Structures are given as C-alpha cells and as structure tokens.
Amino acid sequence: MKPLRDFFDVLQSKVSENPKLRRYRPVVNAFDTIFFTPNQTTRNGVHIRDGVDLKRVMIAVVIALIPPLLFGMYNVGYQYFAQLPGLHSPWELFRFGAFRVLPLVIVSYAVGLTVEFTFAVLRGHEVNEGYLVTGMLIPLIVPADLPLWMLAVAVVFAVIIGKEVFGGTGMNVLNPALVARAFLFFAYPTFMSGDIWVADSAATDAISGETLLGKLGLGHVVTDSSMRMFVGLIPGSVGETSVVAILIGAFILIYTGVGSWRIMLSALIGASLMGLICNAIGSHALLSFPWWKHLLLGGFMFGIVFMATDPVSAAQTTKGKWIYGFLVGLMSILIRVFNPAYPEGVMLAILFMNVMAPLIDHIVVASNIKKRGKRYRLVMANS
Amino acid sequence: MSGDIRLKRGLDIRLTGESEPSIAAVPKSSIYTVTPDDFHGETPKLLLGVGAEVKAGTPIFYAKRDERIQVVSPVSGEVVEIRRGARRKVLAIRILADRNRMDYEALRPPAVSGSSAEALKAFLCRSGLWPYIQQRPYAIVANPDDEPRDIYISGFDSHPLAPDYAFSLRDKRAEIRAAVAVLNRLTQGEVHISLRPSDVDSPLCGMAGVAYHRVQGPHPAGNVGVQIHHTRPISPGEKIWTVQASDLAVIGHAFLKGVFSPERVVAFAGSEVKHPRYYRVLAGAQIASITAGNLKPGDKRLISGNPLTGIKVGEEGFLHWYHNQVTAIPEGNAYRFMGWLLPDGKRFSLSRAGFFSWLRPNKKYALTTNTNGEHRALVITGLYEKVFPFDVYPMELLKATLTKDIDRMERLGIYEVAPEDYALPEFVCPSKTECQSIIREGLDLMIKEIG
C-alpha cells in the first residue's frame, strides 16, 4: 500500500500548497479517503471515537441493495425472454438483464457524482457519502427500458433541486432518489407507466408489459400466484419486484442498525390496516384485492425498507418514526386504491410524509417541551 | 437508600489498562502548575508576581466576577513563571516547590456545628476551597451568595478507566464526613449522594443527614447531572451545587487539620501504561512525575482526566485541578487502508456494520485517538438517544444550541445537561460532531444572556 499512500501524499501536498489547485482539495480528499481512513486524531472533547463513520453507514446500505440489484438483473432477463418462444438458461436471462441494468447504474453514479464533486469544489466543502446510496437507489426504481439520457436528466435534477439547494447531504427535505423518480414520472409519463415494464415489450408486441398494479387499476384480473409476487418474477421497476431480495436487504439494514426497524414495521402495520379497510368496502378490483397481496406488489416493500428509512428525510424522533412509518404505509395503499392513475402510491406517500416529517417531530418534541414547561411553571409559582 | 435509579440507556466503553488497586508513592514534583482555564469562565486577577514566595494555601488569584472566589497554591515554594497567551490572557502559573519541606498557611477553620452558613462560606472562600463547589446549571464554580436547592455528590465515577473511589478514598472517611457536615449547613435542601449497589464499603456510605440514591446502569450513571435529572431535575432559577467525592476529602482535610492540601489519589491507566495503578499526588503536579518509567514505548497521548472529557497534555504537562485520573492511550495518527470498508475486530462500535464488538460485550479494547472518519453534516438519527439517559431530545437540543436559539434551548432542557453528558453522543456520532464544545458554548451563551 506504500506506493499508493505516497502517491496520495504527493497529491495532497500539491493541492494544499498551490493556491490555484487548492479548490480541488475536496476531490483529492474524496479519492484519498476512499482508499485510506485518514490519520486524523481527536483534538478536544472525546479522545476516543466510535469506529463507525458515514462512509461505513452508507456502504452498509449499498450492500443491502445488492440482493435486489442482482435479482432485478435476473428478472429483467426473465421478463424479456418470457414473451419470446423458446427455452433459455438462467445465465442467459441474467446476462441480458445485467446488460440492461448496469448502464443505468453507471450513468446514475457517473452523472450524480460529477454533480456532487462540482458542488463540493464550488462551495468548498467535502464530498459527502450520501450519493453512494442515492446513486444505487435510482436505477432500482426505474423501468429497465428508460432511456439513459432521461435518467441522467433526472439524476441532475434530483441532486441539485432535491439536495444541493438545501445545503447538501443531511439538509434535504425530500429523499433525493424519490425526487428523481417523481421527476421522471411527471416529466416523461409515457416512459414511466403503461406497457413499458417488460424490456422491449413494445417492439416484440407479444404481451402487454404492464405491471400487476396497472392491470388491477384497469379492472383486469390478476392471475399470477402470490408465490410469484413474493419471489418477484413479475414486471416492475428493476429492484422493486422481489420481496425475498428486499427482505434480505431489510435484514442487513436492521442487523447493522443502519435502517430503522420502527419505520419498516409501522409502515407494514399502516398498510395492512388500510388494506383491511379497503377489503371491507371491496366494491371494485383494487378494493377487493386481498390486503396481504398489496404488500407484495409494486414498490411498496422496496419503498418502506430503503426509501422511507432514509434518516435525513424521515422523522427523527423515536415516537415520530412510529407515526411517520404508519402514515407512509397507510397512504401508500390509500393512494394506490383510490387513485388508480397513480398506482405507485408508495412514492407519493413517502414524498408527502417527507414533507410532513418535520411537523411530526415538532409535535413529538412539543409534548416534551410542554411537560417541562409545566414543571418550570410549578417551580416558579412556588418560589 | 431513599431511591433507586435504573438506567438502561448509556454505554460502558471497556478499555485495557485498568488501574490495579495499589497506591504507589512518587517523588514530589519540582514544578506545580495552576491554570485559570480549569475554572471555566473565570477571569483571573493575579495576586502575586514572579518571584513571590508562597505557602500551600496562599491565594494566587481571585475571580474577576467575585473577589471572594480565590484559587490558592497547592504547595509552598516560589512563583517562577506566569505564562500568558494572546491578549495577555493568563494561561498558567508555575510554582517551583520547596524541595524538602512544605509550609502551610494556617487556616483556623470554624467549628462546623456552631457556625452560620455565612461563616462557613467565608471560610471556604478564603481557604481556597470554594472552587470545589460547582453549580448546575452551567457546570461552573458556584456563587457564594446563592442558596442551593440541594447539593449533589456522585459517589462513583463511571467513565472509562476511572478510579474506584471505594478504593482511592478509603482512608478519607473522616475527611468526607467532615465535609458533608459542612455542606449540610449550606443548604435548606438535602445533600444527595449516589452510589452503585456494589459500593457497600465506600467511604461515602452510612452518613446521617444524607439522601442516598442507588444507581444502576452503564455510564453516564456516575455523572452527577444524570443523578439530578432522575431525582429532581433543575428548573429555571434553581441552583444545585455539586461537589466531586474526591474534593470532599480536600475540604474535610482543611476543616480537620487546618491546612489546604489538594491531595489526590490518581488512577494512572490506559493501554500504554506498563503497570497501571494509583498514585498519591497533589493537584498541579507534573505529569512526568507520575508517568516516569511506567510508559510503554511508542507514540501515545497523555490525558489529564479520562478519555471522554479529559485534557490532552504532554509529558511536560500537569495534573489539572479537578482530575483524579491520568490516561495514556495510543495516538491513532496512522492511515488505514480501506478502513471504512473492511470488517474490523479491533475497533469498538455501537454499530454492527462490520464491527463485532457487540458479540463480546466484555471484551476490552486498546482504542486509539483516531477519529475513524471525517467530520460530516448530521445524517444519522436515533443514535444519541441510545446513550443519553435524559428525558431530553439530545439531537434537537444540540441543533437548538448550534443555532443559538436561547428560548428553544431553555424549553428543550439545556439547564439539565453539562458538556460531560454529551461525551457519549460525541463518541458514537458517525458524523464526528464535537458535541461537548457545542454544549459548552451554548451554556456560556446562557450565562451571558440569562445569568
């Protein structure tokens, strides 16, 4: 490792000594700290520090996203070949999917990190690790057929409007990955809904290429078995289809303590409750669709495991997390069932609750303030 | 025991190099140093110049805000240096100790039982004992004009590698009793002492006129602020006084023997110490007099105090006024290849992201001073709460403090916390925020704006 260390030492001294190059320090630093944890020591305050840093937290989320990513690659191939005659090996399916999905991942990271680095240089702050996660989330919540230039535009929009205008990672109100998806959804609706969920389905024209939710919204009957939905061999965004793969990711998030199990659990409860209410009404296809099957469909699981748990845009207090998660679940199914124009209710539900999260926290903290205020007044009255 | 406090939230950081229960004698240090910064927020007015002869107990400076608050010399000798910093701020007063003798100022303490609170306060002030009485809110030296609601004493120290008072103060039983009798006369309220269930032999046990509390749980169970919060939290306008258990011995000594002697039994601990044990020294002693011949080779950091709240000192440094511990841990000034990615069994973490410390909760670690990452904006939530046993929202209070929103700070409970209570949130923070200094600045702002 010595030559690499020496290389970075030379680079670091160049950017810190040369006034013209000084502004590029965050760039050099970002690469340096990818390879080496810095030799920085504590100055005042605590002399020892916990081993964890944001890089490690973020990479834990990226690792948790790998099962949905790999399954997504397989499923893209599976859905494509399912519309064609003939038998194909699993490896063939995976290879096809990988060639469709990897460009999305590469474009997402390349464009997003370019914007991040540019902002770091312009504003003179360090490059934050937040985009490591966002960059992986975005390709997983779009259809495999999305043109790459659209993805690039959405990424630029998400990073700048979703995050940097608020001051960067940690300051944003909305989940940046969902901002990208919402942008695509409203800017290019024909590429984000309808018969586009199976790769090249328009060209081959053998099947409709709809998601199951889309079918339900149109009042069609869904014949797929619930096991198929659970495993994830259904059309949909790249990473959202497999509940199994998402649960593996959820396990990693909960085990490492990075993702809030409270939000995940309360969202499940909220969605189940709303589903039961809908079933009780049950006057059309979506309303009478079994409540537990709602949990297996669309982006719901992916949303509550990977999107709703984003610590920056979610509620921050423990009580607030329970309320926030519950309402995300409730509203996901509510939007899905009562507004079939937007079958992907979870995206809008999370974005809406992102906006509401500070209010939830405000109310939770206000009860603590109220309790303390009561004591303050009591003491003042007695003195 | 008048009440039980059971804490669930908190964190014991187990470090290697705990002091064995034996006290080593050390030769008298040649130079003793008193630094005004140990008395937070006080501006010193010097009473002596370089060359002045002092006895143990001779006032060196008084506080600008109240001339009754005096700091006295720990030893007899000669003032050899007054070190100043920017804008002539007094950084340190250095005293060359008499080599073979120790002269004391004769203090003539009043009889405790017959004296008024005012007479006792006057004695505590002129004898240099007053700074041992601290005030909450704000964690500063108390104001002699106040009458505290209650006086709290934590009977144990729960910081990493902290001294065990049951051992280090075991021969100070009489002094502690005398001091508690004095404190009892300074308040209409009660003197509260908190002990762990295991402290049955503690010299702080079994005193009449004391409200005892039994505290169970991980650090910061020993922080006096936590104990106040869980018995009777502080409200605006209220003043609580706190005294360290070790300082009771100094106060009691002055009342029993009539002399000022800031003797401390210091735990010298940490992974870089050859034979970690206790040392009997005076406050202000050179660190080198403690560490001499007992350090392992290699790059290390010496800390006056504990690794969470202590002050970084060199071997030419000295034992700060209130400290009962000197810690030696390795400096972490080395790069680690892919340190953020690779699984790691050597480092301790509350998180399980590639760390295994949670599997072996009793394993001891030789932690270094490496920050283990760079400073970032606050991103992760819910972590501070795990180690912060207060009915206070730690992140919200920290943010209110950062934005200097005094009204909100007050409503969120700033009066109930001291910087040391934020040491664990600071330790666990993945964004490497310096919580303690933020809270210190916030408290200073409150003093300035509200008083």
Side-chain angles (χ1 to χ4, degrees):
Chain A
M1 292 314 119
K2 185 82 171 58
L4 191 62
R5 185 63 253 155
D6 290 344
F7 168 74
F8 276 117
D9 283 341
V10 171
L11 219 55
Q12 288 276 17
S13 68
K14 281 235 168 76
V15 287
S16 52
E17 278 157 24
N18 189 335
K20 273 186 190 158
L21 295 176
R22 193 165 296 154
R23 57 196 302 202
Y24 297 105
R25 235 188 120 186
V27 178
V28 173
N29 223 13
F31 283 108
D32 188 352
T33 55
I34 285 174
F35 287 102
F36 295 96
T37 297
N39 61 349
Q40 221 170 35
T41 56
T42 50
R43 289 175 298 136
N44 44 22
V46 295
H47 296 270
I48 49 178
R49 286 269 192 186
D50 191 294
V52 78
D53 66 344
L54 272 193
K55 275 198 177 60
R56 198 175 263 265
V57 171
M58 296 299 179
I59 209 69
V61 185
V62 173
I63 289 170
L65 282 167
I66 287 176
L69 174 75
L70 293 181
F71 186 88
M73 289 176 175
Y74 177 79
N75 189 44
V76 167
Y78 177 88
Q79 297 298 334
Y80 174 75
F81 285 111
Q83 62 188 338
L84 301 176
L87 276 174
H88 302 273
S89 71
W91 169 242
E92 238 178 312
L93 307 186
F94 183 80
R95 211 176 68 115
F96 176 86
F99 274 106
R100 283 301 172 99
V101 175
L102 278 179
L104 296 174
V105 177
I106 292 166
V107 167
S108 163
Y109 271 122
V111 174
L113 287 175
T114 306
V115 178
E116 288 270 341
F117 275 75
T118 311
F119 265 85
V121 169
L122 290 179
R123 293 170 48 96
H125 63 63
E126 295 293 336
V127 179
N128 252 303
E129 288 78 12
Y131 196 76
L132 290 180
V133 172
T134 311
M136 183 60 97
L137 281 174
I138 293 175
L140 294 183
I141 53 173
V142 296
D145 268 1
L146 188 78
L148 292 176
W149 69 267
M150 279 185 200
L151 181 73
V153 174
V155 164
V156 171
F157 181 84
V159 175
I160 296 180
I161 305 298
K163 194 161 76 170
E164 291 298 339
V165 291
F166 294 103
T169 305
M171 321 287 180
N172 46 303
V173 176
L174 301 173
N175 183 325
L178 280 179
V179 170
R181 195 180 196 282
F183 175 81
L184 288 169
F185 190 79
F186 291 109
Y188 309 106
T190 49
F191 289 85
M192 289 296 287
S193 54
D195 301 342
I196 47 89
W197 297 98
V198 173
D200 297 340
S201 63
T204 48
D205 206 22
I207 57 153
S208 72
E210 271 248 303
T211 62
L212 302 190
L213 275 177
K215 281 187 191 168
L216 281 171
L218 295 171
H220 297 161
V221 181
V222 169
T223 50
D224 299 58
S225 74
S226 40
M227 192 37 109
R228 237 181 145 69
M229 300 175 192
F230 186 66
V231 174
L233 292 173
I234 51 173
S237 296
V238 174
E240 72 174 20
T241 60
S242 171
V243 177
V244 177
I246 293 164
L247 284 180
I248 297 171
F251 173 77
I252 296 173
L253 289 185
I254 294 172
Y255 165 82
T256 55
V258 169
S260 166
W261 60 268
R262 292 184 180 90
I263 292 177
M264 296 182 205
L265 179 64
S266 58
L268 270 183
I269 295 171
S272 305
L273 190 76
M274 195 65 221
L276 282 168
I277 294 172
C278 291
N279 287 173
I281 305 169
S283 57
H284 64 72
L286 265 170
L287 273 171
S288 54
F289 190 64
W291 63 273
W292 56 272
K293 280 194 182 176
H294 267 302
L295 309 182
L296 307 178
L297 279 193
F300 176 73
M301 280 304 243
F302 192 86
I304 66 164
V305 170
F306 292 108
M307 310 288 230
T309 52
D310 166 23
V312 176
S313 55
Q316 308 199 346
T317 54
T318 306
K319 264 184 218 160
K321 281 174 184 162
W322 283 108
I323 302 168
Y324 166 89
F326 181 81
L327 291 176
V328 164
L330 195 95
M331 296 196 57
S332 299
I333 305 301
L334 187 75
I335 297 171
R336 185 186 275 184
V337 172
F338 290 98
N339 194 348
Y342 302 121
E344 210 31 280
V346 68
M347 169 183 90
L348 295 170
I350 295 175
L351 283 173
F352 180 71
M353 290 314 296
N354 281 171
V355 176
M356 290 296 138
L359 182 67
I360 296 174
D361 282 332
H362 177 81
I363 294 166
V364 170
V365 173
S367 78
N368 179 274
I369 287 176
K370 204 172 152 196
K371 194 163 84 185
R372 187 170 290 104
K374 222 167 158 183
R375 188 183 85 221
Y376 284 3
R377 278 194 298 279
L378 210 68
V379 167
M380 297 221 194
N382 289 342
S383 62
Chain B
M1 298 281 164
S2 68
D4 265 21
I5 304 168
R6 284 167 197 272
L7 302 174
K8 286 212 181 79
R9 290 176 290 164
L11 176 67
D12 282 325
I13 304 164
R14 293 177 208 279
L15 301 181
T16 55
E18 207 172 318
S19 298
E20 290 162 20
S22 73
I23 300 177
V26 285
K28 197 169 158 189
S29 164
S30 58
I31 299 276
Y32 284 79
T33 309
V34 178
T35 179
D37 276 347
D38 282 352
F39 311 94
H40 181 83
E42 306 295 353
T43 309
K45 289 285 172 192
L46 289 176
L47 292 160
L48 309 161
V50 172
E53 296 282 332
V54 293
K55 294 177 184 173
T58 305
I60 313 174
F61 62 84
Y62 65 87
K64 187 180 169 192
R65 72 164 162 141
D66 189 334
E67 61 185 32
R68 290 172 296 172
I69 301 173
Q70 294 182 333
V71 173
V72 299
S73 171
V75 289
S76 65
E78 183 193 344
V79 176
V80 287
E81 188 189 355
I82 291 170
R83 194 171 288 172
R84 290 177 186 270
R87 296 166 71 198
R88 295 193 37 83
K89 181 187 170 188
V90 179
L91 298 180
I93 297 119
R94 288 159 65 80
I95 298 156
L96 180 67
D98 291 332
R99 193 165 289 207
N100 297 318
R101 64 201 171 98
M102 183 74 95
D103 298 329
Y104 295 98
E105 294 278 357
L107 295 176
R108 284 186 285 281
V112 176
S113 54
S115 305
S116 66
E118 293 314 309
L120 291 172
K121 281 182 187 174
F123 174 74
L124 288 167
C125 286
R126 75 181 149 85
S127 59
L129 296 169
W130 191 260
Y132 288 124
I133 300 177
Q134 299 267 315
Q135 173 207 302
R136 295 291 169 95
Y138 309 144
I140 51 171
V141 174
N143 179 350
D145 291 331
D146 288 336
E147 211 221 275
R149 191 196 78 197
D150 292 292
I151 298 177
Y152 277 80
I153 298 152
S154 176
F156 63 101
D157 188 340
S158 57
H159 285 96
L161 299 175
D164 179 9
Y165 289 153
F167 171 76
S168 67
L169 300 176
R170 67 192 163 152
D171 54 352
K172 302 285 184 190
R173 213 168 271 265
E175 285 86 346
I176 288 169
R177 258 145 234 273
V180 169
V182 172
L183 295 179
N184 246 325
R185 299 193 59 89
L186 301 183
T187 175
Q188 297 286 323
E190 282 184 295
V191 174
H192 298 258
I193 297 182
S194 308
L195 293 164
R196 288 167 298 198
S198 59
D199 286 328
V200 281
D201 293 330
S202 168
L204 289 107
C205 281
M207 283 181 273
V210 170
Y212 280 102
H213 306 284
R214 185 161 49 179
V215 189
Q216 296 183 48
H219 181 64
N223 281 11
V224 71
V226 175
Q227 297 160 3
I228 299 170
H229 182 83
H230 286 275
T231 47
R232 217 181 132 193
I234 306 173
S235 298
E238 288 184 327
K239 297 279 159 64
I240 306 287
W241 286 355
T242 67
V243 183
Q244 288 194 89
S246 54
D247 301 342
L248 291 175
V250 183
I251 296 172
H253 187 82
F255 274 90
L256 294 178
K257 305 279 163 59
V259 294
F260 177 83
S261 177
E263 187 188 286
R264 311 192 86 79
V265 175
V266 168
F268 181 37
S271 60
E272 299 309 288
V273 184
K274 273 196 220 157
H275 305 291
R277 58 191 168 191
Y278 291 81
Y279 289 83
R280 199 181 294 277
V281 293
L282 295 176
Q286 285 164 301
I287 290 289
S289 71
I290 299 169
T291 60
N294 199 3
L295 281 174
K296 291 179 187 167
D299 199 4
K300 63 194 80 62
R301 175 172 300 186
L302 293 173
I303 302 159
S304 173
N306 65 65
L308 291 182
T309 65
I311 296 167
K312 177 183 174 180
V313 291
E315 286 205 51
E316 70 287 355
F318 56 93
L319 180 68
H320 284 260
W321 197 255
Y322 295 104
H323 290 167
N324 298 306
Q325 184 178 350
V326 173
T327 316
I329 54 173
E331 279 288 6
N333 51 0
Y335 288 95
R336 275 197 319 276
F337 183 68
M338 293 280 175
W340 57 283
L341 181 61
L342 303 175
D344 195 328
K346 276 189 188 154
R347 279 177 294 158
F348 176 85
S349 180
L350 200 59
S351 129
R352 295 176 178 180
F355 299 106
F356 306 102
S357 46
W358 64 279
L359 283 170
R360 296 172 65 190
N362 291 319
K363 186 181 175 201
K364 292 181 175 176
Y365 290 82
L367 298 185
T368 72
T369 61
N370 194 284
T371 53
N372 296 321
E374 293 178 298
H375 179 252
R376 289 287 183 269
L378 292 166
V379 169
I380 304 301
T381 60
L383 207 50
Y384 288 9
E385 285 82 351
K386 286 187 185 169
V387 295
F388 193 75
F390 289 82
D391 184 23
V392 168
Y393 284 99
M395 183 76 93
E396 280 67 21
L397 177 57
L398 190 80
K399 285 181 177 172
T401 309
L402 273 171
T403 54
K404 297 188 166 62
D405 184 344
I406 290 178
D407 188 41
R408 194 167 161 79
M409 284 156 73
E410 185 174 286
R411 287 187 290 160
L412 286 169
I414 186 85
Y415 297 122
E416 291 158 57
V417 301
E420 62 174 12
D421 300 323
Y422 265 89
L424 279 178
E426 179 169 321
F427 173 81
V428 300
C429 185
S431 299
K432 313 297 174 190
T433 311
E434 294 189 342
C435 306
Q436 289 187 91
S437 55
I438 293 168
I439 293 297
R440 182 70 265 174
E441 278 171 36
L443 291 170
D444 290 347
L445 181 72
M446 297 298 287
I447 297 171
K448 208 173 116 202
E449 300 289 328
I450 292 178

